[in-house]
Amino acid sequence: MNTSALSSAPADCSAPREIQVLIADDHAMVRDGLRRIVEGEPGLCVSGQAVDGASTLARLEDTPCDVLLLDLSMPAPNGPELITHIRESWPDLPILVLSMHNSVAVARAALQAGASGYIAKDNDPEVLVLALRQVSDGGRYVEPRLAEALLFTAPARPLPTLTPREAEVMHRLVNGESNSDIARDLYLSEKTVSTHKTNLMAKLKLKSVAEMVRFVDEARRAGGLDGIGIGIGNGNGNGNGNGNGNGNGNGNGNGGAAP
């Protein structure tokens, strides 16, 4: 996709006291819907659009912007890492996160990284407009259901450290491999793989592989995979690291870097 075209024809934001919104989302239909909502409100306009982390940083360099409306799940850099990067160059820019995740852990990670507000994409347009106006005025906004949960939910417990072999098994399980597939590829018995799986469930306090998939996805969105002490590989079977991306995979390879 030609990302430069997205910034070449911004809306007319020349009216006095217009709040200029930069929309960053990797889905064209979502961007168009957000643009319609923003431009349908008096005093708001869309000054530019971005489709991933790199184009977001580029648009911030060349596009007037009073508020950044940011999706967390774009192509990298993304999530809390992208927010931290933005804060280094634009420390006072209001950032409103609009995410598909209504998870307390993900919201807390975004806010701790420097977001000014956080709302989920299943909210009504009125909530988005209210949040945009509030953060653009120097305030903060978190949708009520998440604000209450953030207030009364303790931060997540410290994540346990996994051994390189446990990390490898978890990586393969969440990518849909069976115990027999894992045993064959890692030259282990199925009983040994089953033992690793049982240990993983106990360490992470999970009850099923489906829960493990959700756990890994949420930890990745919250920037918390490093806290487990592993580096999830790139899915090519070469293995995982031991926390710094250098570990054993199938016995003869280097681990993948954490995403």
Side-chain angles (χ1 to χ4, degrees):
M1 178 179 293
N2 182 3
T3 60
S4 62
L6 294 175
S7 65
S8 60
D12 180 10
C13 290
S14 59
R17 302 180 66 83
E18 288 268 276
I19 298 171
Q20 302 179 87
V21 180
L22 175 62
I23 297 174
D25 193 292
D26 58 331
H27 294 96
M29 291 180 65
V30 173
R31 290 195 307 274
D32 187 61
L34 293 173
R35 180 186 60 80
R36 292 172 185 271
I37 293 171
V38 171
E39 294 183 347
E41 290 293 320
L44 298 178
C45 74
V46 174
S47 60
Q49 299 182 34
V51 300
D52 53 27
S55 63
T56 298
L57 295 171
R59 295 296 76 77
L60 286 172
E61 290 281 2
D62 62 26
T63 306
C65 172
D66 297 313
V67 182
L68 172 61
L69 183 57
L70 180 68
D71 176 34
L72 281 185
S73 303
M74 301 184 297
N78 55 30
E81 176 191 0
L82 177 58
I83 296 172
T84 300
H85 194 156
I86 292 170
R87 277 283 166 256
E88 292 174 355
S89 299
W90 295 275
D92 300 321
L93 175 68
I95 301 173
L96 176 62
V97 171
L98 180 65
S99 174
M100 63 179 288
H101 301 280
N102 57 4
S103 157
V104 173
V106 176
R108 178 177 282 118
L111 294 168
Q112 289 177 342
S116 310
Y118 189 104
I119 62 175
K121 288 183 176 178
D122 59 357
N123 278 284
D124 292 331
E126 292 79 7
V127 175
L128 171 61
V129 173
L130 173 62
L132 283 171
R133 294 190 186 279
Q134 191 152 322
V135 300
S136 71
D137 198 35
R140 298 174 70 85
Y141 187 91
V142 178
E143 61 173 278
R145 57 183 172 175
L146 278 176
E148 183 176 359
L150 285 166
L151 182 63
F152 294 107
T153 302
R157 57 187 168 79
L159 296 173
T161 298
L162 304 184
T163 67
R165 182 63 79 193
E166 287 172 338
E168 171 71 10
V169 170
M170 182 172 79
H171 171 65
R172 290 172 178 270
L173 286 170
V174 300
N175 280 309
E177 296 186 33
S178 67
N179 284 10
S180 59
D181 291 336
I182 298 170
R184 182 186 64 250
D185 290 346
L186 300 184
Y187 303 100
L188 302 172
S189 69
E190 287 193 42
K191 182 177 180 180
T192 298
V193 173
S194 180
T195 298
H196 283 308
K197 181 178 176 181
T198 299
N199 291 341
L200 282 167
M201 296 295 185
K203 280 188 175 183
L204 301 175
K205 302 187 185 304
L206 303 173
K207 297 179 181 178
S208 67
V209 173
E211 286 190 4
M212 187 181 295
V213 171
R214 289 193 294 272
F215 168 84
V216 170
D217 180 65
E218 186 168 298
R220 181 180 291 113
R221 300 300 179 192
L225 282 179
D226 288 342
I228 308 176
I230 65 173
I232 293 294
N234 58 11
N236 62 8
N238 288 332
N240 299 282
N242 59 5
N244 60 8
N246 299 317
N248 292 325
N250 56 12
N252 58 9
N254 291 327

